[in-house]
Amino acid sequence: VQLVESGGGLVQPGGSLELSCVTSGFTFSIYVMGWVRQAPGKGLEWVSTIAAGGEVAEYADSVKGRFTISRDDAKSTLYLRLTSLKAEDTAMYYCATSLSAYFIRSPDFYYRGQGTQVTVSS
């Protein structure tokens, strides 16, 4: 299982970013995928989960209405669009899966990538 995130960076408050996660080593299209994050000095926080097929997605209250998760099964790639960014969104963002159809609403995914850093600062 390989999960490789990219797209992070330094952005001003109110700005936007799109994170990507290219996957390999498993049949991406049949599994639930998610994003979790870890801010400096804090534990892992669940951000969003998307079901196989992409028709069902859920978000943490802290990002609802600002972030959008999506997937491209043909490219085995997961995305997270971040808008209206706030300083409190500063964190390492991880793509995650448990190779399961179970819809996880917590940071307890079994596999995570190496992460991509998002820093929101003026």
Side-chain angles (χ1 to χ4, degrees), residues 32 46 48-49 97-98 100-110:
V32 169
W46 173 67
S48 181
T49 300
T97 185
S98 291
S100 167
Y102 182 69
F103 199 91
I104 297 173
R105 298 174 181 86
S106 77
D108 302 325
F109 289 88
Y110 191 76

Side-chain angles (χ1 to χ4, degrees), residues 1-24:
V1 175
Q2 283 202 315
L3 309 168
V4 180
E5 302 93 336
S6 63
L10 173 63
V11 61
Q12 292 186 342
S16 300
L17 283 174
E18 183 170 74
L19 309 184
S20 299
C21 173
V22 177
T23 75
S24 61

Side-chain angles (χ1 to χ4, degrees), residues 15-79:
S16 300
L17 283 174
E18 183 170 74
L19 309 184
S20 299
C21 173
V22 177
T23 75
S24 61
F26 64 101
T27 306
F28 177 82
S29 62
I30 66 174
Y31 294 121
V32 169
M33 298 293 300
W35 288 94
V36 300
R37 67 185 181 183
Q38 187 166 25
K42 297 189 177 181
L44 278 174
E45 176 188 15
W46 173 67
V47 175
S48 181
T49 300
I50 188 167
E55 293 186 359
V56 176
E58 293 192 10
Y59 301 88
D61 287 344
S62 58
V63 307
K64 199 174 295 182
R66 301 188 298 119
F67 291 8
T68 303
I69 191 172
S70 61
R71 61 192 298 162
D72 185 334
D73 290 348
K75 295 182 179 179
S76 297
T77 300
L78 181 71
Y79 301 96

Side-chain angles (χ1 to χ4, degrees), residues 78-92:
L78 181 71
Y79 301 96
L80 185 69
R81 177 74 175 165
L82 294 69
T83 64
S84 302
L85 282 161
K86 306 174 183 179
E88 51 263 44
D89 295 318
T90 294
M92 186 71 78

